[in-house]
Amino acid sequence: MTLTPVRPETAADVLSAALNGPLQDNEAFARHQERNLRPDVVRELGRRIEEAGVEYIYYALPTIGSRMVAKMVPANHFRRNLQKGIAFHRTALSDLQNDRYGNLIGGG
């Protein structure tokens, strides 16, 4: 697929291009998933994980406030993680804290 610049024709088009950027590719994530969830790719990844003796996979990502959060998952769950993702609690990703009852008590 080739991306082409948006050529504004009207004032609304100019505003849209300014807000959305000159290049748009709304299918990039779907293509990424399709390529990386192919059965042969998943099989090869599983083989490499097993061959290397990996016991746990460590996932890390930055929060909205640039803090790092992480999660360690048993390696034999990697297929499920590829299909369903890795769950993080919303308060961890937004740098909010909650009490033991689930009530938000402020920023971290």
Side-chain angles (χ1 to χ4, degrees):
M1 181 181 121
T2 303
L3 296 178
T4 56
V6 174
R7 289 177 175 57
E9 302 296 330
T10 67
D13 293 333
V14 171
L15 178 60
S16 177
L19 294 174
N20 299 319
L23 301 176
Q24 296 181 20
D25 183 2
N26 297 330
E27 302 302 319
F29 184 66
R31 284 194 317 277
H32 171 77
Q33 279 187 308
E34 185 178 319
R35 279 193 306 267
N36 290 290
L37 290 177
R38 288 191 339 249
D40 59 318
V41 172
V42 174
R43 216 175 10 262
E44 174 64 14
L45 181 57
R47 185 192 66 74
R48 291 173 69 185
I49 288 171
E50 188 175 320
E51 189 177 276
V54 174
E55 293 182 45
Y56 296 93
I57 298 173
Y58 186 80
Y59 299 98
L61 62 122
T63 66
I64 292 172
S66 300
R67 190 175 54 129
M68 290 301 292
V69 294
K71 186 172 197 169
M72 192 173 346
V73 178
N76 62 355
H77 291 212
F78 89 94
R79 283 181 182 84
R80 185 178 72 193
N81 294 152
L82 288 173
Q83 293 172 346
K84 295 185 176 188
I86 295 92
F88 282 91
H89 194 273
R90 63 186 164 86
T91 57
L93 299 179
S94 60
D95 292 332
L96 297 174
Q97 297 175 1
N98 61 317
D99 64 16
R100 65 174 22 175
Y101 306 105
N103 301 311
L104 294 178
I105 57 175

